[in-house]
Amino acid sequence: MRQLHRVNQFQRLWQLSQGAPQQLSVSAMAQHCFCSERHIRTLLRQWQDAGWLRWQGAAGRGKQGILTFLTSPEQLRQQLLQQQLAAGEAVQALQVLDVQPDHLLNMLRPLMGGQWLNQAPVLRIPYYRALEPLRPLRITGRAEQHLARQIFSGLTRFNGDDVVGDLAHHWQHDATGCDWFFWLRPQLSWHNDEPLYAAQLVTQFNKIRHSTPGLRLLASVESITAPHPLALRIRLRHSDYWLPQRLAHQYCLLPHPERDDIGSGAWKLTHFAAELVRLESHARWHLQRPLIQAVEYWITPQLFDRTLGTSCRHPVQIAIGDPDELDTLRPVDRSISLGFCYLAPRLSARLSTAQAKTLIALIQRSGMIQQLPLDEGLITPSQELLPGWPVPASEETLVTLPAALTLHYHLPVELHVMAEALKPLLAAQGCQLTCIFHDVKSWRDERELAEADLVMGDRLIGDAPLFTLVSWLENDPLWQPLRGTQSAIHLRQHLREIAQQQDPGQRAILSHQLFEQLMRAGYLLPLFNYRYQISAPPGVEGIQLNSLGWFDFTRAWIPPPAAVDTVHHTAEPLP
């Protein structure tokens, strides 16, 4: 980029004296800028005309002149950044950000949050890490799952506790619950403006069915066909009244059969890189159109460097705007996550049922979760598995623990703190705890846990919490041993019985009974829930937490600047 190159050359001269006036010859300046004397004379004229500096040359070759700086490289980069963003050149603007973190903070401060650019509202969110590729069958991060649901559609979608139509507007099944029809909306469109056909969805579903997660999620599906361009027929091996919920699962989000970065959701992915992710609204989306034009994630870990005093914002505490000016941001929504971090003893010859219950009793009676050295207000001890499903209080008589146990755990980072706190608790009972950390967000296969006596992890729960919990038992490798026919819980039998209940109320009762049995038998202890929070600057409206701790991008909106000024100038004083 020519303009950026000139700023970089200007910066080389400026750094010689940190902006103070200096005496230099033309040849010395050319040497510092890695160019010819003729070219540096051209640059001096251009910079002087632009008001960057003042140059008073002296007659004679090799004579020194006086160089006076009228601006700084940081100010020039800020101007260039503003120009490129105003022109919609966000990708090019990233090249300007190759500066020290403390300078970057000053440059980005006024650019985050809601902006109007070229008569279009844009929302910029600073984010603390790079994002994983948005592939529904493989993503595990909470932010990625949220983005995937903005970009890709399914046949159905979750709406709180309910499941509603997405690509399909209605569905029906026969009396046996084994033969299902889903009717597609007319005039559906992919993000590349190609029409969407039922046959394409059949192709995608067959890919999903043959994937490792799809084999478990859609285990009851025998075949999927397209008897009409606007209809899908799904035949099951046995009745499964969770089918509409299964089709709303993240694994059943449907990319284009030939381009897995193209979907049909409210937002299309227009740029994906380690520094910037940009979404633009899909003009032909089949549901309510978004109220803003674009959403940008600016991947700026420098802004979250603790040494700068900005303090890393936890991923469950989203700040839309400059994280260093939290006094100007306002918390717009808070909630307690339905998801929870958990401890799952693996009952075996090394760890008996009585010992697992003893371990759970020690944790509950110690009050250790309330004493974990974590930021205030970040977590809250789990009292319920779901609302109305209390965690049973252990009243077990304590027995002797094994001399040694092995704990396997994964992210989030709070489980590091929990693992360290468990060591002295168990050591006081004569049990040495070995902790093994897995740098993942969910378990990939049962082999990772083969040597584990105890497992800790994070169970993310979005919409439809009842189905999500049951699906966890069906799909997560953590529960693979319990699916065997030799298990005292007979998990596979319980799960099929629940799925075959057509009455949602009966499914809820049986699911509650199953999890109550798992907790009382020592297989599961919910540890703590997170406190979700979203903060936004003035001028960003419609922000409301969803069940993933993010917010629905289609509901956010940014008042035009002129309208805001008018409202402020004409408002009546408060009584």
Side-chain angles (χ1 to χ4, degrees), residues 9 13 24-45 47 55 58 60-63:
Q9 288 177 309
L13 290 182
L24 283 174
S25 65
V26 172
S27 60
M29 286 189 283
Q31 184 177 3
H32 283 296
C33 291
F34 306 105
C35 64
S36 67
E37 293 185 23
R38 180 179 179 181
H39 185 59
I40 197 65
R41 291 182 188 277
T42 301
L43 289 176
L44 287 171
R45 286 195 300 271
W47 291 342
W55 164 245
R61 186 175 181 83
K63 296 291 185 178

Side-chain angles (χ1 to χ4, degrees), residues 330-335 532-536 543-546 550:
R330 68 199 193 285
V332 293
D333 208 353
R334 295 186 178 97
S335 70
Y532 288 156
Q533 176 176 304
I534 288 186
S535 299
I543 304 295
Q544 183 176 348
L545 270 168
N546 64 17
W550 278 87

Side-chain angles (χ1 to χ4, degrees), residues 538-559:
V540 180
E541 306 293 342
I543 304 295
Q544 183 176 348
L545 270 168
N546 64 17
S547 54
L548 291 174
W550 278 87
F551 60 97
D552 186 348
F553 291 162
T554 63
R555 298 180 64 179
W557 61 284
I558 303 166

Side-chain angles (χ1 to χ4, degrees), residues 237-249:
R237 297 182 179 89
H238 51 79
S239 61
D240 181 358
Y241 292 99
W242 286 126
L243 183 61
Q245 285 85 350
R246 297 186 191 282
L247 297 176
H249 193 282

